[in-house]
Amino acid sequence: MDLITERPRILIVDDEPANLKVMREVLSKHYRLSFAKSGDAALALVEKEPPKLILLDIMMPDMNGFEVCQRLKNNPTTAHIPIIFVTALSDQTDEFKGFELGAVDYITKPISPAIVRARVKTHLSLIQAEQLKLAHVDLVHRLGRAAEYKDTDTGNHVIRMSKYSKILALANNMSEEHAELLKQAAPMHDIGKIGIPDAILLKPGKLTENEFEHMKEHAQIGAQILENSSSPLLQLAYLVAMEHHEKWDGSGYPNGLKGENISIEGRIVAIADVFDALTSKRPYKEPWPIEDALNFLQEQAGVHFDPELVHLFTAQIDAIMDIYSTYQN
C-alpha cells in the first residue's frame, strides 16, 4: 500500500518496449513506475500492488486494452483505479468505447511529454481530493457516533437516522446531491452531548426540570463546536445540530423557531431522529412497535413536526423498514 509520503505508483502497459522507455523518461522523476508488456502481466501486477493510476495501451496482442479495462472495472477491488488510454487510435467510436468501459481520459500517440505529465497530475489530484472528502465524511460519522456512545450505547442510531433523513429529503424533492450531504451531516446532530455532565446524560430516570434545562444546552454546544466552518458539510451539520429540537408550533429549543422558520434540514432530521429513538431499545425503555411510532408522528404533525413531512415519511415506510431491518444494533 502506498504511504501518503511516498510518490504515487503508476502502472504503464504497452507491448512496445520503445513506448515504455519514453514513458519512463517522461514520468520517472516524479512517480514510482511499474511496467507491463501484456494485459495478463498488467492484471498480475495490479493484483500484487494496486497502482494509483494506469496508463494503458489499446492495441496489444492476446488481450487488448479494452479487455484489460473491462476486467479491472468488473473487479470491485480494482474498479476504483483510474485508467487513461494511451493510443494511436483516433476513431471517435474507439474513444467512446473506452469511456463507456470506465476510462477517465485519452492520450494520443505520438505523445507530448507536457500533456502526459499534465493529465497524470490532474487525475492524481482528483484521486487525492476524493480521498480527503471520504476521510472528512468518515470523521464526521465517527464524531457523531462518539457523541452517541457518551449518551448511551445506541449502536447504529446515527446510521439509521441519517439514512432516514436522506429518504425523506428525496421524497420532499431535495436534489440528490443535497440529500446526500444531509445524510452525511445528520450524524453530528447530537455532538453537543459531549458537553453535558454524565450525571444528567446517563441518568436512568426522568430528568428534573433543572436537569432538563442543562440537557437542552447540547443543541447550542453542538452548534458552537461546528460553527464558522468553510466546509459545506460542517455548515449543514451546524444547522442540523442547532435546529433538530425546534418544533413546528414554536415550543422547541434553543430558539423557539416556528413552522418554516425552521430550516427544511432541521425539520427532516427532527422526524428521523425521533422515529429512530422511539423504535430503538434504550436502557430506560423498550423499543416502540413501528405502528405506535408512526401514530406518534401523526399525532404530533402540526405540533412537533412539519405535517407535510410526516405524511411523506409515512409514505416511505417500506424503504424506512429496509434500513431499520438492515442496521439493527
Side-chain angles (χ1 to χ4, degrees):
M1 180 182 293
D2 290 338
L3 298 176
I4 293 175
T5 55
E6 291 181 324
R7 293 181 298 166
R9 179 180 295 279
I10 299 172
L11 173 60
I12 302 170
V13 188
D14 199 305
D15 63 313
E16 292 290 339
N19 293 333
L20 297 178
K21 181 180 179 181
V22 170
M23 284 297 189
R24 182 192 298 271
E25 293 171 353
V26 171
L27 297 172
S28 62
K29 184 181 293 187
H30 302 288
Y31 308 104
R32 294 185 299 144
L33 304 179
S34 298
F35 300 94
K37 295 181 181 179
S38 70
D40 285 327
L43 294 173
L45 281 173
V46 171
E47 183 176 356
K48 181 179 179 181
E49 185 176 8
K52 292 293 185 184
L53 182 69
I54 299 173
L55 299 179
L56 179 59
D57 185 30
I58 293 179
M59 300 299 293
M60 296 186 295
D62 300 324
M63 184 187 304
N64 66 34
F66 291 139
E67 294 172 287
V68 175
C69 181
Q70 186 164 37
R71 288 180 61 172
L72 289 171
K73 295 303 178 183
N74 287 341
N75 184 342
T77 63
T78 58
H80 68 284
I81 303 173
I83 295 173
I84 299 177
F85 280 123
V86 183
T87 178
L89 296 177
S90 58
D91 191 315
Q92 287 188 348
T93 302
D94 293 314
E95 188 171 339
F96 174 77
K97 181 177 180 180
F99 285 126
E100 193 173 44
L101 289 172
V104 297
D105 210 343
Y106 258 80
I107 297 174
T108 57
K109 298 177 182 178
I111 68 163
S112 161
I115 289 177
V116 170
R117 284 192 288 265
R119 299 280 179 84
V120 167
K121 182 179 179 180
T122 294
H123 288 290
L124 289 175
S125 295
L126 291 172
I127 294 170
Q128 185 178 39
E130 182 62 22
Q131 289 173 336
L132 287 172
K133 177 183 175 182
L134 291 174
H136 190 180
V137 171
D138 186 49
L139 180 60
V140 166
H141 278 253
R142 290 174 186 273
L143 287 173
R145 295 198 72 174
E148 290 298 327
Y149 281 120
K150 188 178 188 302
D151 181 359
T152 52
D153 187 356
T154 53
N156 288 324
H157 167 65
V158 295
I159 296 176
R160 289 190 301 266
M161 60 81 62
S162 64
K163 289 180 177 291
Y164 296 161
S165 296
K166 181 176 180 180
I167 288 173
L168 181 52
L170 291 174
N172 195 53
N173 296 320
M174 187 178 288
S175 71
E176 170 69 31
E177 181 180 8
H178 196 67
E180 176 64 22
L181 194 66
L182 179 58
K183 187 188 81 171
Q184 295 168 4
M188 298 291 281
H189 68 293
D190 273 341
I191 188 64
K193 285 184 177 179
I194 64 176
I196 302 300
D198 287 351
I200 295 175
L201 202 60
L202 304 179
K203 184 177 179 179
K206 185 176 180 180
L207 298 179
T208 67
E209 184 175 341
N210 187 53
E211 288 170 338
F212 185 61
E213 288 303 312
H214 280 297
M215 175 65 85
K216 290 196 298 185
E217 293 173 2
H218 81 272
Q220 288 178 307
I221 293 171
Q224 289 166 4
I225 291 171
L226 297 165
E227 67 183 349
N228 298 325
S229 173
S230 61
S231 161
L233 174 57
L234 292 184
Q235 289 171 1
L236 187 52
Y238 162 85
L239 191 65
V240 165
M242 178 67 90
E243 296 189 1
H244 74 286
H245 282 297
E246 300 288 359
K247 295 184 178 181
W248 185 257
D249 67 357
S251 65
Y253 64 88
N255 295 313
L257 300 179
K258 185 176 182 179
E260 293 186 358
N261 288 326
I262 308 167
S263 67
I264 186 62
E265 295 88 355
R267 284 178 271 151
I268 286 171
V269 171
I271 292 174
D273 184 37
V274 169
F275 177 82
D276 193 72
L278 293 175
T279 55
S280 299
K281 179 179 175 61
R282 299 289 172 89
Y284 50 86
K285 75 170 190 68
E286 291 299 313
W288 285 25
I290 299 299
E291 185 177 351
D292 290 352
L294 290 176
N295 286 339
F296 177 81
L297 294 184
Q298 290 163 355
E299 290 168 4
Q300 291 295 308
V303 181
H304 188 156
F305 307 114
D306 179 336
E308 177 60 25
L309 290 180
V310 169
H311 172 73
L312 291 175
F313 187 86
T314 303
Q316 303 302 314
I317 193 59
D318 289 344
I320 297 296
M321 291 309 301
D322 285 343
I323 293 167
Y324 177 83
S325 300
T326 302
Y327 295 95
Q328 285 300 301
N329 292 341

